[in-house]
Amino acid sequence: MPSAPSNFFTHLECSMTGARIEADQPHNLSPEGWPLLARYDLAAMKGRLDRDAIAARSASDHPGFWKWRELLPVTNDEDIVSLGEVDTPLIDATGTAAQIGASGRLWVKDEGRLPTGSFKARGLALAVSMAKSYGVQTMAMPTNGNAGAALSAYGARAGMTTYSFCPEDTPDVNVREIAGQGGKVFRVNGLIHQCGAIVGALKEQMGWFDVSTLKEPYRIEGKKTMGIELAWQLGWKLPDAIFYPTGGGTGLIGMWKAFDEMEQLGWIGSERPKMFAVQAEGCAPIVKAYEAGEEHAPEWLDAHTFAAGIRVPKAIGDFLILRAVRESEGAALSVSEDQIEAARQLCGGEDGLLLCPEGAATLAACQSALERGLVERDSDIVLFNCGSGLKYPLPDPKRSLDRTQVITPDMLEA
Ligand SMILES: *Cc1c(COP(=O)(O)O)cnc(C)c1O
């Protein structure tokens, strides 16, 4: 007797044309050049699997997001590459909420707790596991740091060779982290899409599988687990608003997809949170396109921000980000470097949560959305802290003491 499928993954679909593509080999973009989305037989799954039974799975058998494996594309358990994933906590930021005038719940979903210290682990765990199932040996990507870190770690775990190409202003710790996990890593005097061009130019000759953001269909599937996990943690209800730091938009697109899939499964209803795509003023192509009413965002020239994860001048899934933002009646918002720094200090000081700059950007954007009336003050809000604050340079507190002098209390208050 054939055993029941361990998941319900059926095929891939072009996100622009809806054309069906079989998933019997590794794929990048659709023939028309658009991102591919994984599709499932949700009708068959509906009623056969209880959401709470899945949620109750033991962490030792199904660590973290792997518990949702029926909604993930990996068919055989042997292909799962795991580094001990966890469900990331949803932490009440009550002190911060009071300071910014939010009277509902304000939660930080702390993705910095995942392997390699960022939510890139979700996407790359899936991409590497799928690549393993296809027998891929070598992979390459352009990266602002965290994606390369996750690629090198999961790649090493799967016995693969990985190549990461980083813009030269990528945080030093990320570059070293990639090398420390066995990845081949190069600093490049250019921006992320210029690093991507190197991958494109050499991939055939080098036999690389290209795992660039959205040029590979399974990173979205990993990132969508943020949406499932969030619904589960909130008792199968979604918050009123989600603030998401948007680079390539994988997570925002993924969560939006997860909400749809969960609705089709009868796990949640039709209500949706307002989705806020947050960018930095120094690199805000999605915000510009949103404000102009466009479906696509032209490349942002002269991109700069110390929030490296959202320094993405051109996103190939721009239309998918913009559609989710508009359908949800959210917005795309940009914040300044000073606002990001102030938000990081605020949340660290008030709630003991050291946000990464990209996570701090979501808090700054939330504050401005409250002030502008884009979200109600009593809304339940989730901010995504996408990586560990410890991976980034921090301002120097510049306080020291000379122990050979008499130290008086006033010196400690200066
Ligand atoms: C990659 C990254 C982002 C952007 O995520 P996308 O889902 O690709 O938009 C934001 N913050 C950090 C820390 C990142 O590493």
mmCIF file of all heavy atoms in Angstrom, residues 118-120 145-147 213 219 223 226 244-252 308-310 312 321 356 358-359 386-387 392, ligand 1:
data_model
loop_
_atom_site.group_PDB
_atom_site.id
_atom_site.type_symbol
_atom_site.label_atom_id
_atom_site.label_comp_id
_atom_site.label_asym_id
_atom_site.label_seq_id
_atom_site.Cartn_x
_atom_site.Cartn_y
_atom_site.Cartn_z
ATOM 1 N N SER A 118 19.448 35.134 12.491
ATOM 2 C CA SER A 118 18.503 35.955 11.725
ATOM 3 C C SER A 118 17.452 35.065 11.068
ATOM 4 O O SER A 118 17.620 33.854 10.962
ATOM 5 C CB SER A 118 19.200 36.793 10.644
ATOM 6 O OG SER A 118 19.290 36.068 9.428
ATOM 7 N N PHE A 119 16.380 35.713 10.595
ATOM 8 C CA PHE A 119 15.297 34.951 9.954
ATOM 9 C C PHE A 119 15.678 34.395 8.591
ATOM 10 O O PHE A 119 14.913 33.651 7.985
ATOM 11 C CB PHE A 119 13.999 35.744 9.914
ATOM 12 C CG PHE A 119 13.994 37.028 9.117
ATOM 13 C CD1 PHE A 119 15.007 37.401 8.274
ATOM 14 C CD2 PHE A 119 12.883 37.872 9.232
ATOM 15 C CE1 PHE A 119 14.956 38.580 7.539
ATOM 16 C CE2 PHE A 119 12.816 39.049 8.513
ATOM 17 C CZ PHE A 119 13.855 39.409 7.657
ATOM 18 N N LYS A 120 16.884 34.725 8.132
ATOM 19 C CA LYS A 120 17.340 34.114 6.878
ATOM 20 C C LYS A 120 17.453 32.599 7.035
ATOM 21 O O LYS A 120 17.392 31.866 6.048
ATOM 22 C CB LYS A 120 18.693 34.695 6.455
ATOM 23 C CG LYS A 120 18.651 36.145 5.988
ATOM 24 C CD LYS A 120 17.846 36.315 4.721
ATOM 25 C CE LYS A 120 18.010 37.668 4.050
ATOM 26 N NZ LYS A 120 17.652 38.830 4.882
ATOM 27 N N GLY A 145 24.796 39.873 3.920
ATOM 28 C CA GLY A 145 25.402 39.280 5.112
ATOM 29 C C GLY A 145 24.630 38.120 5.710
ATOM 30 O O GLY A 145 25.123 36.993 5.761
ATOM 31 N N ASN A 146 23.412 38.385 6.161
ATOM 32 C CA ASN A 146 22.686 37.343 6.899
ATOM 33 C C ASN A 146 22.283 36.157 6.036
ATOM 34 O O ASN A 146 22.274 35.020 6.504
ATOM 35 C CB ASN A 146 21.451 37.939 7.561
ATOM 36 C CG ASN A 146 21.811 38.778 8.768
ATOM 37 O OD1 ASN A 146 22.760 38.482 9.478
ATOM 38 N ND2 ASN A 146 21.053 39.844 9.004
ATOM 39 N N ALA A 147 21.936 36.412 4.784
ATOM 40 C CA ALA A 147 21.552 35.296 3.912
ATOM 41 C C ALA A 147 22.768 34.407 3.650
ATOM 42 O O ALA A 147 22.673 33.179 3.687
ATOM 43 C CB ALA A 147 20.965 35.810 2.603
ATOM 44 N N THR A 213 17.734 35.878 -3.677
ATOM 45 C CA THR A 213 16.377 36.185 -3.200
ATOM 46 C C THR A 213 15.355 36.150 -4.338
ATOM 47 O O THR A 213 15.521 36.851 -5.339
ATOM 48 C CB THR A 213 16.354 37.599 -2.582
ATOM 49 O OG1 THR A 213 17.343 37.642 -1.574
ATOM 50 C CG2 THR A 213 15.009 37.935 -1.982
ATOM 51 N N ARG A 219 12.873 29.687 -0.666
ATOM 52 C CA ARG A 219 13.136 30.587 0.459
ATOM 53 C C ARG A 219 11.836 31.245 0.926
ATOM 54 O O ARG A 219 11.632 31.446 2.116
ATOM 55 C CB ARG A 219 14.188 31.645 0.061
ATOM 56 C CG ARG A 219 15.597 31.048 -0.033
ATOM 57 C CD ARG A 219 16.629 32.040 -0.528
ATOM 58 N NE ARG A 219 16.749 33.216 0.326
ATOM 59 C CZ ARG A 219 17.512 34.269 0.031
ATOM 60 N NH1 ARG A 219 18.242 34.267 -1.088
ATOM 61 N NH2 ARG A 219 17.577 35.290 0.843
ATOM 62 N N LYS A 223 10.205 31.363 4.724
ATOM 63 C CA LYS A 223 9.821 32.629 5.367
ATOM 64 C C LYS A 223 8.327 32.678 5.660
ATOM 65 O O LYS A 223 7.896 33.370 6.574
ATOM 66 C CB LYS A 223 10.228 33.806 4.484
ATOM 67 C CG LYS A 223 11.734 34.135 4.553
ATOM 68 C CD LYS A 223 11.982 35.225 5.593
ATOM 69 C CE LYS A 223 13.344 35.872 5.481
ATOM 70 N NZ LYS A 223 13.362 37.105 4.732
ATOM 71 N N MET A 226 6.807 32.245 9.200
ATOM 72 C CA MET A 226 6.625 33.343 10.168
ATOM 73 C C MET A 226 5.148 33.658 10.330
ATOM 74 O O MET A 226 4.675 33.956 11.429
ATOM 75 C CB MET A 226 7.356 34.612 9.698
ATOM 76 C CG MET A 226 8.855 34.472 9.733
ATOM 77 S SD MET A 226 9.700 36.042 9.402
ATOM 78 C CE MET A 226 9.300 36.339 7.709
ATOM 79 N N TYR A 244 7.115 45.174 8.704
ATOM 80 C CA TYR A 244 8.137 44.243 8.213
ATOM 81 C C TYR A 244 9.254 44.999 7.492
ATOM 82 O O TYR A 244 8.977 45.762 6.564
ATOM 83 C CB TYR A 244 7.480 43.233 7.248
ATOM 84 C CG TYR A 244 8.435 42.162 6.825
ATOM 85 C CD1 TYR A 244 8.678 41.066 7.645
ATOM 86 C CD2 TYR A 244 9.150 42.273 5.636
ATOM 87 C CE1 TYR A 244 9.601 40.102 7.287
ATOM 88 C CE2 TYR A 244 10.079 41.303 5.268
ATOM 89 C CZ TYR A 244 10.295 40.221 6.098
ATOM 90 O OH TYR A 244 11.207 39.273 5.746
ATOM 91 N N PRO A 245 10.499 44.768 7.894
ATOM 92 C CA PRO A 245 11.627 45.443 7.240
ATOM 93 C C PRO A 245 11.847 44.832 5.862
ATOM 94 O O PRO A 245 12.161 43.650 5.748
ATOM 95 C CB PRO A 245 12.806 45.150 8.172
ATOM 96 C CG PRO A 245 12.457 43.869 8.834
ATOM 97 C CD PRO A 245 10.957 43.787 8.902
ATOM 98 N N THR A 246 11.675 45.610 4.834
ATOM 99 C CA THR A 246 11.574 45.046 3.493
ATOM 100 C C THR A 246 12.802 45.317 2.632
ATOM 101 O O THR A 246 13.110 46.457 2.324
ATOM 102 C CB THR A 246 10.320 45.614 2.796
ATOM 103 O OG1 THR A 246 9.197 45.366 3.642
ATOM 104 C CG2 THR A 246 10.104 44.969 1.447
ATOM 105 N N GLY A 247 13.487 44.232 2.304
ATOM 106 C CA GLY A 247 14.586 44.293 1.344
ATOM 107 C C GLY A 247 14.059 43.698 0.053
ATOM 108 O O GLY A 247 13.423 44.355 -0.766
ATOM 109 N N GLY A 248 14.301 42.379 -0.115
ATOM 110 C CA GLY A 248 13.736 41.673 -1.261
ATOM 111 C C GLY A 248 12.254 41.355 -1.064
ATOM 112 O O GLY A 248 11.554 41.024 -2.006
ATOM 113 N N GLY A 249 11.802 41.432 0.185
ATOM 114 C CA GLY A 249 10.379 41.235 0.467
ATOM 115 C C GLY A 249 9.958 39.792 0.677
ATOM 116 O O GLY A 249 8.763 39.508 0.807
ATOM 117 N N THR A 250 10.932 38.880 0.731
ATOM 118 C CA THR A 250 10.609 37.454 0.861
ATOM 119 C C THR A 250 9.627 37.166 1.994
ATOM 120 O O THR A 250 8.669 36.408 1.824
ATOM 121 C CB THR A 250 11.887 36.641 1.165
ATOM 122 O OG1 THR A 250 12.978 37.262 0.499
ATOM 123 C CG2 THR A 250 11.758 35.218 0.716
ATOM 124 N N GLY A 251 9.878 37.777 3.144
ATOM 125 C CA GLY A 251 9.069 37.493 4.319
ATOM 126 C C GLY A 251 7.666 38.052 4.194
ATOM 127 O O GLY A 251 6.687 37.402 4.574
ATOM 128 N N LEU A 252 7.561 39.239 3.666
ATOM 129 C CA LEU A 252 6.243 39.859 3.520
ATOM 130 C C LEU A 252 5.401 39.069 2.511
ATOM 131 O O LEU A 252 4.232 38.739 2.752
ATOM 132 C CB LEU A 252 6.410 41.317 3.094
ATOM 133 C CG LEU A 252 5.183 42.207 3.256
ATOM 134 C CD1 LEU A 252 5.610 43.631 3.615
ATOM 135 C CD2 LEU A 252 4.358 42.238 1.993
ATOM 136 N N ALA A 308 21.798 47.121 6.848
ATOM 137 C CA ALA A 308 22.264 46.445 5.632
ATOM 138 C C ALA A 308 21.226 45.491 5.034
ATOM 139 O O ALA A 308 21.132 45.365 3.813
ATOM 140 C CB ALA A 308 23.554 45.682 5.946
ATOM 141 N N GLY A 309 20.426 44.857 5.880
ATOM 142 C CA GLY A 309 19.463 43.861 5.388
ATOM 143 C C GLY A 309 18.382 44.447 4.500
ATOM 144 O O GLY A 309 17.738 43.730 3.740
ATOM 145 N N ILE A 310 18.157 45.744 4.616
ATOM 146 C CA ILE A 310 17.127 46.368 3.765
ATOM 147 C C ILE A 310 17.750 47.313 2.734
ATOM 148 O O ILE A 310 17.068 48.154 2.166
ATOM 149 C CB ILE A 310 16.018 47.072 4.598
ATOM 150 C CG1 ILE A 310 16.597 48.039 5.632
ATOM 151 C CG2 ILE A 310 15.162 46.026 5.295
ATOM 152 C CD1 ILE A 310 15.512 48.815 6.415
ATOM 153 N N VAL A 312 18.448 47.115 -0.433
ATOM 154 C CA VAL A 312 18.212 46.349 -1.663
ATOM 155 C C VAL A 312 17.622 47.302 -2.699
ATOM 156 O O VAL A 312 16.442 47.640 -2.636
ATOM 157 C CB VAL A 312 17.251 45.159 -1.398
ATOM 158 C CG1 VAL A 312 16.968 44.387 -2.671
ATOM 159 C CG2 VAL A 312 17.822 44.231 -0.332
ATOM 160 N N ILE A 321 5.151 42.447 -3.348
ATOM 161 C CA ILE A 321 5.189 43.232 -2.109
ATOM 162 C C ILE A 321 4.102 44.304 -2.162
ATOM 163 O O ILE A 321 3.288 44.457 -1.240
ATOM 164 C CB ILE A 321 6.554 43.933 -1.933
ATOM 165 C CG1 ILE A 321 7.705 42.931 -1.926
ATOM 166 C CG2 ILE A 321 6.564 44.797 -0.666
ATOM 167 C CD1 ILE A 321 9.102 43.559 -2.024
ATOM 168 N N CYS A 356 17.989 44.737 16.027
ATOM 169 C CA CYS A 356 18.936 45.011 14.949
ATOM 170 C C CYS A 356 18.442 46.286 14.249
ATOM 171 O O CYS A 356 17.288 46.693 14.436
ATOM 172 C CB CYS A 356 19.028 43.829 13.987
ATOM 173 S SG CYS A 356 17.503 43.429 13.123
ATOM 174 N N GLU A 358 17.444 46.922 11.298
ATOM 175 C CA GLU A 358 16.260 46.688 10.461
ATOM 176 C C GLU A 358 15.020 46.524 11.342
ATOM 177 O O GLU A 358 13.932 47.005 11.002
ATOM 178 C CB GLU A 358 16.450 45.434 9.590
ATOM 179 C CG GLU A 358 17.620 45.502 8.622
ATOM 180 C CD GLU A 358 18.961 45.128 9.264
ATOM 181 O OE1 GLU A 358 19.006 44.963 10.505
ATOM 182 O OE2 GLU A 358 19.961 45.023 8.536
ATOM 183 N N GLY A 359 15.177 45.839 12.473
ATOM 184 C CA GLY A 359 14.076 45.687 13.427
ATOM 185 C C GLY A 359 13.721 47.036 14.030
ATOM 186 O O GLY A 359 12.538 47.370 14.205
ATOM 187 N N CYS A 386 14.295 41.123 12.857
ATOM 188 C CA CYS A 386 14.683 40.065 11.935
ATOM 189 C C CYS A 386 16.019 39.423 12.236
ATOM 190 O O CYS A 386 16.338 38.369 11.707
ATOM 191 C CB CYS A 386 14.686 40.653 10.544
ATOM 192 S SG CYS A 386 15.033 42.401 10.602
ATOM 193 N N GLY A 387 16.814 40.062 13.101
ATOM 194 C CA GLY A 387 18.120 39.469 13.398
ATOM 195 C C GLY A 387 18.577 39.887 14.776
ATOM 196 O O GLY A 387 18.025 40.806 15.391
ATOM 197 N N TYR A 392 25.602 43.651 14.878
ATOM 198 C CA TYR A 392 25.834 44.964 14.260
ATOM 199 C C TYR A 392 26.706 45.831 15.146
ATOM 200 O O TYR A 392 26.670 45.701 16.375
ATOM 201 C CB TYR A 392 24.493 45.673 14.041
ATOM 202 C CG TYR A 392 23.626 44.941 13.059
ATOM 203 C CD1 TYR A 392 22.903 43.837 13.455
ATOM 204 C CD2 TYR A 392 23.573 45.328 11.725
ATOM 205 C CE1 TYR A 392 22.123 43.131 12.562
ATOM 206 C CE2 TYR A 392 22.787 44.647 10.825
ATOM 207 C CZ TYR A 392 22.068 43.544 11.243
ATOM 208 O OH TYR A 392 21.304 42.848 10.353
HETATM 209 C C1 LIG B 1 17.304 39.969 4.667
HETATM 210 C C2 LIG B 1 17.016 40.867 5.762
HETATM 211 C C3 LIG B 1 15.930 41.733 5.706
HETATM 212 C C4 LIG B 1 14.996 41.805 4.517
HETATM 213 O O1 LIG B 1 14.243 40.626 4.392
HETATM 214 P P1 LIG B 1 13.388 40.327 3.074
HETATM 215 O O2 LIG B 1 12.394 39.312 3.508
HETATM 216 O O3 LIG B 1 14.338 39.782 2.055
HETATM 217 O O4 LIG B 1 12.777 41.593 2.643
HETATM 218 C C5 LIG B 1 15.689 42.541 6.798
HETATM 219 N N1 LIG B 1 16.488 42.514 7.876
HETATM 220 C C6 LIG B 1 17.534 41.663 7.987
HETATM 221 C C7 LIG B 1 18.352 41.692 9.231
HETATM 222 C C8 LIG B 1 17.840 40.817 6.936
HETATM 223 O O5 LIG B 1 18.870 39.986 7.049
#
